[in-house]
Structures are given as C-alpha cells and as structure tokens.
Amino acid sequence: MGLKLFNTLSRSVQEFAPLDPAGKKVGMYCCGPTVYDFAHIGNWRTFVFADLVRRYLEFNGHAVTHVMNITDIEDKIIKGVREAKTTLPEFTGRYEAAFLEDLKTLNCREPHQKPRATEHIPEIISLIEKLIQRGVAYKAADGSVYFSIEKYRGCGCNYGQLLKLNFDEMRAGERVKSDEYAKESVADFALWKARVPEDGDIFWPGPFGEGRPGWHIECSAMSMKILGASFDLHLGGEDLIFPHHEDEIAQSEGATGKPFVKYWLHGAFLLVEGKKMSKSLGNFFTLRDLLAKGFTGREIRYLLLTAHYRETFNFTLDGLAGAKTALARIDECIGKLRELSGSQTGFAGDPLSITPFVNALNDDLNISEAWACVFDWVRETNSRLAKNTLTPERAAIALGTWEHFDSVLGIGTKSAGEAPAEILVLTEARTTAKKTKDFKRADAIRDELKAKGWTIEDTPKGPKLKKL
Ligand code: AMP
Ligand code: ZN
C-alpha cells in the first residue's frame, strides 16, 4: 500500500502519484508566513505539518523541492510599517529572521526555496498582464486591476473548485479590494492595488500605474516560477481554502490554461485551551512565549505532531507538560540502547517494527497511529532491556529502527551532547585533570559544574553528564 492523502480538490482520500513520470520528483509549495509579527503557535501547527509531509515524502525516497514563500508585502504589513514609522525591509526583515530561527528551534527542515514577494514584482506584473490579455482581468476606474470571475467562468473555467459556491447570490460586477473576505462576499478580487496615500512610499511602478500586488497573485506567480505551471502539492491552513487558494487556482489556470495543483492539503486549526487564540483571552502564544515558560522546541514540536492534521487540535499547557513525560520515556529507552550497543551504528532497523509505522503514515498521515506504533516499540524494547534479552547487535538494530522513526518525526533524543558547549568543555577539562592526577583541579571543576546545574557520574565507559 502506498501513500494516500486527503485532497481538498476531490474531497476524498487519494493515492499519491507525483506528476513526474519516474515517480521520483515532487514539487511542494506551502504558503509561508506574513511577516508582520512573530508567528503564533497556530501558524506553527501548519508549518510543522508541512515539515511532516516533506519528511515523509523524503523517507519514501522522493526528491522533494519544498518552496515556502515569505509574504513581505500585504495590507497588514503596510499598516505595521506605518505604525512603527520604519521602512518596509526593516519591518519585515526582523520578523522574517525570527521566523527562520523558530523554524530551526522546531527542527523543521529548511525549505529549499523561500521566495519573497517583493523580489518577484516583475513576475507578478507579467502574470497580471497575461490575465488581462486573456480577457479575465481588467483595470477599474480606481486604477486597480481586478480578476473577473464572470469572464473566467464564461471561458468554461471553474471558480469554486475547493469550496462549493452559490453564484446565484453573487452580485455581478461587485469588487473586493481587501485580501481577506468571506465566501458570502465573493466578488472580483484585486490583483494590483493602485497606490493610495496610506501606502506611503510602498509602491512599485507598473504598466497599469503605480501600486502593489494583491496577496493572492503573489503565491500564483512565485509557485509557478519555481515549480512550473503544474505541480504536485500545495499546502496551508484550512483558513486559506477560501479565498486565497481558490483565487490562486483561478489566477494560475486563467493564465496558463493548465491544471495548477494535483493535490491540495489543508491542516485543521489549532485552538488554545479550547478557544480561538486571542490576545484578550490571554491564550495567545508565540513560540517565544512558550520557550520563555521553560518549554523546549522539541516538546512543542512533539505536541503539535500528536494529532491528525485534519482534526482540530486543542493545545494546552498541561498537554505540553505531558510531552515532557512522553519524550523522557523515549530518551530513557534510546539512552539504554546506546549504552548496550557500544560503538556499533549504521544498522538498518527492524522491518517488523517499521512496517506498522509506515502503514499508519500511508493512511493519510495517521500520526496518532504512528505514535502508538512508536510507544508499543518503546514498551517492548524496555521489557527486553529489563530481561537482558538484547544482544549489543540487537540493540544496534533497535537504534536503526528508531532512526527510521525519527527521520519522519524529527524530535531527536536527549543526550550528553545536548549539554551547552561550555559544560562540555569543563567536562573535558576535568577528564584531563584526572588523567594528570590533578585531583584538586578535577574536584574544583566538578563543583563548578554543580553550580551550573550539572553533575558527573563516573561510569566504566567514561564520565556521564546529568542535569541536576
Ligand atoms: P499567516 O502568517 O497569517 O499568513 O499564516 C501562516 C499559516 O498559518 C497559514 O497557512 C495559515 O493557514 C496558518 N494558520 C493561521 N492560524 C492558524 C491556527 N490557529 N491553526 C493552524 N494554522 C493556522
Ligand atoms: Zn499563498
């Protein structure tokens, strides 16, 4: 059984078959952050989900090109620049850098390409020109360029591929300039927004007059530039289905006449303590807020990865505390396996344990079932370790199994290597002091380590660091 995924386009679970005739290359685009603030934990659920998709495709041997755009020009950004009385690059640069740092903290594989909208204005303009030439876009009296849903549908194209829309309720000729609107107010949407005084000095010259791109056209232009007119996978949170992704399809297919994306994947929303995140409710967390509370990126990643991507997930601080316990069980088991296997590495793993894990993920990325397989394996391995029925070679094979699991899960394990560099240097210095029989110095270093929260146990295999 191969990988099956729920495709929002067909509203069904489908076998995943890449467009590449060799079945190897996969093009994947995930709508990236709008860099006007620090990304919150809900955003991170979606980006960790995208990382899971990418890791699992790579686990299956696909050569993935993962593209994630940076939305660095958009309504909220312009407002932010105005309020902060700064420049566009200064304002967005700060949040982009924070985002990329957070991506690392959560151990997400870095996208191969991270195009910025402001660096693709010529591509955006030429896509809009193509839509005008094809008769599905027009310049309105306010100087902005709009996409005509009526003309597009008149060409036999389908607007409403991801979401069923009631066109009888639509008022022909109405326009919406804002990037965000509900399906009840579906109308011609803006591709190019004519310069207005509130934009300050944020505008570009264009053949249709000075202005800036709408949000939806940015993603069509950047995804097709890098991945081609048709590509395999497009991801985002469920709130992007309409209008953002529906408009992306209309713009792209309206310009090329080719099917835009084969599989659309949408992650369900994250609630915090059972409610929609909001600053006034005090349940609004950025990744940094959680790190400041003493949680680690690894614990946060684990918790975000526990629920199926199509289920609403309730994120709680208690759940995060529970993540610590779950990870400690894994760490303890892996630590013992490492001790027993000695220096033996590079074993392939046990297919009997890996196969159920793979079957679970093949079933539309059933991650809760995959975790159940991992914890069954931990329980069984612990019981063998307790009964002393594992040989060093079997322990090394078990480590190989864990490496397979972890190449998809990306949570890693705690080890002495995780101690800060300063602690490792001190440990090394103590070993040297002991070797040269400078016990006074060795004891002084031990005390220093203790003051910094670390203790050393001397084992037959050498010193072992432990956090106090
Ligand atoms: P934005 O930076 O607002 O463009 O959002 C970046 C990504 O986060 C998009 O794919 C959104 O769909 C997703 N997103 C926003 N809020 C949530 C949430 N509460 N839960 C899950 N994903 C979200
Ligand atoms: Zn997008």
Side-chain angles (χ1 to χ4, degrees), residues 28 30-32 40-53 66 108 235-240 245 265-270 304 309:
M28 163 174 153
C30 178
C31 289
H40 59 63
I41 197 68
N43 301 133
W44 286 115
R45 179 181 193 198
T46 297
F47 295 118
V48 169
F49 155 57
D51 183 60
L52 173 71
V53 174
H66 176 190
C108 292
L235 283 79
E238 61 183 352
D239 59 320
L240 299 191
H245 289 163
L265 265 55
H266 291 102
F269 250 40
L270 174 135
L304 292 177
Y309 75 95

Side-chain angles (χ1 to χ4, degrees), residues 8 21 30 87 94 98 108 114 122 150 154 188 234 270-271 321 334 347:
T8 313
C30 178
T87 64
R94 174 175 175 225
C108 292
K114 302 182 290 290
E150 201 186 343
D188 291 359
H234 199 313
L270 174 135
L271 300 177
I334 302 302
F347 282 79

